[in-house]
Amino acid sequence: MDLIADKISIIQSLWPTMLKGLWMTFQVSMLAILLGSLIGFTLGVAKTLGYFVLEKLINGYLHILRGSPYLVQLYIIYFVLPSTGIAWLSFDSYTAAVVSLSLYTSSYVTEIVASAIVAVPSGQSEAARSVGMTRAQTYRNVVIPQALKLTIPPMASVYVIVIKSTAILSVIGFAELTRAGEIAIMRMPGDIMFIYCMIAAFYFMYCYPVLRFSKWAEGRFGSAGQIEH
Amino acid sequence: MNEPMIVIDSICKTYHLKTRPEPVRALDNVSNHVDRGEVVVVIGPSGSGKSTLLRSLNALQSVDSGRIVIDGIEVTNKKTDINKLRAEVGMVFQHFNLFQHKTALENIVMPQMIVAKRTREEAEDIANDLLQKVGIPDRANNYPSMLSGGQQQRVAIARSLAMKPKVMLFDEATSALDPETVGGVLELMRDLALGGMTMAVVTHEMGFAREAADRVIFMDEGAIIEENTPANFFDDPQTDRAQNFLRQIL
């Protein structure tokens, strides 16, 4: 029917730009996850070491990042920082996107890693210390490997949050998926509903495999701890 | 070589809990010793401080005051290399505490390679040998979740023995086991004792205390109430508290 042919032609004409937008979304979310996880892992481990000042500092960092909307953080990094006049703080939209999203991601990952480390039974580190392992050896060989398994389910959720948060990047003109869709809407204002559905479908194409993969990873590597007798 | 292997000199440990108005004296001026090759069994009601005492010997538990010396090395001294000391003091836990993400063999090999810096071949030879000695050579490649409690505890004992310790500490090693498997592990512990290992054992197994201990120490409320040879202690307890305790459990 006419309706379907019409929709198919919309999909055909918008497919390239949307795909390019999805590719940008993929790039930024990948980078943010990698950098954010690196930062988050470091801070998560640091938080559990038992140094009062360090823990308070990290908690302060978390409060700031988790207590404000991502949009506001993005504005500060993209608009406010350059106005300070410091050269290297004047980010272009791509850098601002990656930096802000990485920091935002790290706030989630820090908590996830810290919680996972604390969830490893204390008997594990007691046994390791009892055979003469140092704190560092205990962390590296006994605690962290077991903690990492516990992070798999919540990390999948974080990844999906990051992917969806990239939509916010459209407000700084960054050419990711949502922005690509918005530009398409400006060209074809009559099909606004359908195009939004297309945008959602594209996000789904990205998010669904991620969730499936995480379910597999959970099964393969074991998730919420082993059963102790 | 007539210096005791373990010297415990007036140790105190007090807990200040928000839930209780008075501080809890977990260890109240406890002094004792364990000679080389001696097997000392510590018994007492729960909360008596026996686990606290045992765990203070390898510094898993800190003490507020007093001295603990193992083979001439002061455990309580901040300057002591505690990791080096712990490599020579084996500990077996009530809940086994095997490394869940490693096989039985790896559990025994890993500390040897990391702490004793042995090669993998050396470590595996020793590990397989010990798995044989503790009676489960065929379980080498099983993960702890696939092992029964008794098997896990045997692996745990092998893991400690692989470090060639001077002293073995047992913290209620059979309390989490099914009654049928308790006997097997106790037999293992008895063999160790007969082999001349210096052992400090916290247990509720009075049969083991009677048969394997050189000395029995009875604790209550953080203090040593009575100590004697097993025969004398079980047949003729001197103090009221010891008599009450024995009446309840025997």
Side-chain angles (χ1 to χ4, degrees):
Chain A
M1 285 172 328
D2 230 11
L3 196 65
I4 298 188
D6 181 46
K7 299 300 178 212
I8 291 180
S9 75
I10 295 176
I11 296 176
Q12 276 179 318
S13 65
L14 292 180
W15 186 268
T17 32
M18 300 280 263
L19 210 58
K20 222 196 271 171
L22 181 60
W23 170 236
M24 288 309 274
T25 298
F26 179 77
Q27 270 187 57
V28 175
S29 60
M30 256 299 165
L31 278 172
I33 271 282
L34 281 168
L35 292 171
S37 297
L38 232 70
I39 299 171
F41 178 79
T42 313
L43 294 179
V45 171
K47 202 166 106 99
T48 60
L49 293 177
Y51 299 118
F52 183 73
V53 177
L54 192 57
E55 197 178 328
K56 289 294 169 218
L57 280 173
I58 296 173
N59 280 335
Y61 173 82
L62 292 179
H63 277 313
I64 295 172
L65 288 175
R66 296 280 283 265
S68 56
Y70 173 57
L71 183 59
V72 173
Q73 294 170 26
L74 179 62
Y75 275 152
I76 292 177
I77 290 178
Y78 187 60
F79 293 118
V80 176
L81 285 189
S83 70
T84 59
I86 304 172
W88 63 272
L89 280 180
S90 302
F91 299 125
D92 63 322
S93 62
Y94 188 83
T95 316
V98 172
V99 168
S100 64
L101 204 51
S102 301
L103 290 176
Y104 186 62
T105 306
S106 76
S107 67
Y108 280 98
V109 177
T110 305
E111 247 333 292
I112 290 172
V113 169
S115 305
I117 289 174
V118 166
V120 175
S122 59
Q124 294 292 298
S125 48
E126 283 190 354
R129 296 310 309 272
S130 292
V131 289
M133 287 195 215
T134 62
R135 269 195 95 179
Q137 289 166 339
T138 302
Y139 255 72
R140 199 174 347 121
N141 296 287
V142 176
V143 178
I144 304 273
Q146 296 187 66
L148 284 181
K149 286 189 189 182
L150 297 175
T151 63
I152 295 178
M155 279 304 289
S157 306
V158 167
Y159 201 178
V160 171
I161 290 175
V162 171
I163 295 169
K164 292 188 286 185
S165 299
T166 58
I168 297 177
L169 297 171
S170 57
V171 307
I172 60 170
F174 185 70
E176 45 68 62
L177 178 58
T178 302
R179 184 108 183 93
E182 286 175 350
I183 293 173
I185 288 167
M186 291 200 290
R187 280 168 34 205
M188 309 179 188
D191 296 301
I192 182 170
M193 286 309 301
F194 183 69
I195 295 176
Y196 269 124
C197 289
M198 267 188 80
I199 298 174
F202 267 78
Y203 276 112
F204 185 78
M205 269 166 40
Y206 186 8
C207 293
Y208 184 69
V210 170
L211 288 167
R212 291 288 303 149
F213 177 76
S214 104
K215 264 240 133 42
W216 169 83
E218 243 181 279
R220 170 79 174 76
F221 298 106
S223 56
Q226 312 287 343
I227 305 161
E228 276 218 44
H229 286 250
Chain B
M1 273 293 188
N2 45 17
E3 265 281 306
M5 177 69 88
I6 305 178
V7 174
I8 303 163
D9 185 12
S10 313
I11 55 174
C12 296
K13 176 74 185 174
T14 317
Y15 288 112
H16 299 271
L17 299 170
K18 290 183 197 148
T19 46
R20 297 210 201 169
E22 284 112 56
V24 175
R25 283 182 192 261
L27 293 174
D28 195 1
N29 227 308
V30 176
S31 295
N32 215 290
H33 70 281
V34 180
D35 291 320
R36 278 153 216 285
E38 200 183 6
V39 175
V40 170
V41 171
V42 184
I43 60 173
S46 53
S48 55
K50 40 190 209 299
S51 276
T52 313
L53 175 63
L54 197 78
R55 287 160 61 90
S56 66
L57 296 183
N58 71 347
L60 275 188
Q61 178 70 60
S62 65
V63 295
D64 298 328
S65 63
R67 261 170 82 242
I68 298 171
V69 182
I70 297 187
D71 202 17
I73 300 169
E74 205 175 313
V75 177
T76 39
N77 191 332
K78 299 247 188 287
K79 297 209 184 89
T80 307
D81 185 349
I82 197 65
N83 299 311
K84 195 150 157 262
L85 175 78
R86 283 177 176 156
E88 317 219 87
V89 176
M91 185 160 220
V92 179
F93 299 88
Q94 181 177 351
H95 296 291
F96 333 129
N97 291 340
L98 291 184
F99 305 134
Q100 298 294 311
H101 59 310
K102 299 280 182 190
T103 61
L105 189 76
E106 265 302 308
N107 258 272
I108 307 171
V109 163
M110 187 167 84
Q112 291 185 71
M113 289 180 68
I114 294 177
V115 181
K117 311 259 190 270
R118 296 177 194 149
T119 62
R120 178 165 280 278
E121 295 89 56
E122 223 189 319
E124 280 191 6
D125 280 341
I126 294 174
N128 279 314
D129 193 47
L130 280 168
L131 280 173
Q132 179 94 33
K133 282 213 179 81
V134 300
I136 44 169
D138 50 328
R139 292 291 187 201
N141 295 318
N142 286 119
Y143 283 91
S145 53
M146 303 297 288
L147 298 173
S148 71
Q151 292 167 336
Q152 287 189 62
Q153 195 61 301
R154 287 168 194 269
V155 176
I157 292 173
R159 178 176 63 180
S160 294
L161 290 176
M163 302 304 291
K164 314 221 198 239
K166 301 177 186 168
V167 177
M168 283 286 281
L169 307 175
F170 290 84
D171 191 359
E172 301 208 34
T174 58
S175 295
L177 297 176
D178 298 327
E180 315 90 68
T181 29
V182 167
V185 174
L186 287 179
E187 203 183 307
L188 198 49
M189 288 165 64
R190 218 172 30 239
D191 290 339
L192 263 180
L194 289 172
M197 176 65 77
T198 310
M199 291 164 58
V201 178
V202 169
T203 186
H204 294 297
E205 297 290 332
M206 300 304 152
F208 176 81
R210 233 191 236 275
E211 291 174 29
D214 295 311
R215 209 170 6 117
V216 169
I217 293 177
F218 172 69
M219 283 184 78
D220 195 10
E221 294 185 341
I224 295 177
I225 307 298
E226 196 174 324
E227 85 178 88
N228 217 324
T229 61
N232 288 343
F233 179 77
F234 287 111
D235 295 337
D236 189 19
Q238 301 292 305
T239 58
D240 282 341
R241 282 202 262 184
Q243 289 167 7
N244 282 337
F245 178 71
L246 289 175
R247 203 172 302 131
Q248 283 173 354
I249 54 151
L250 290 176

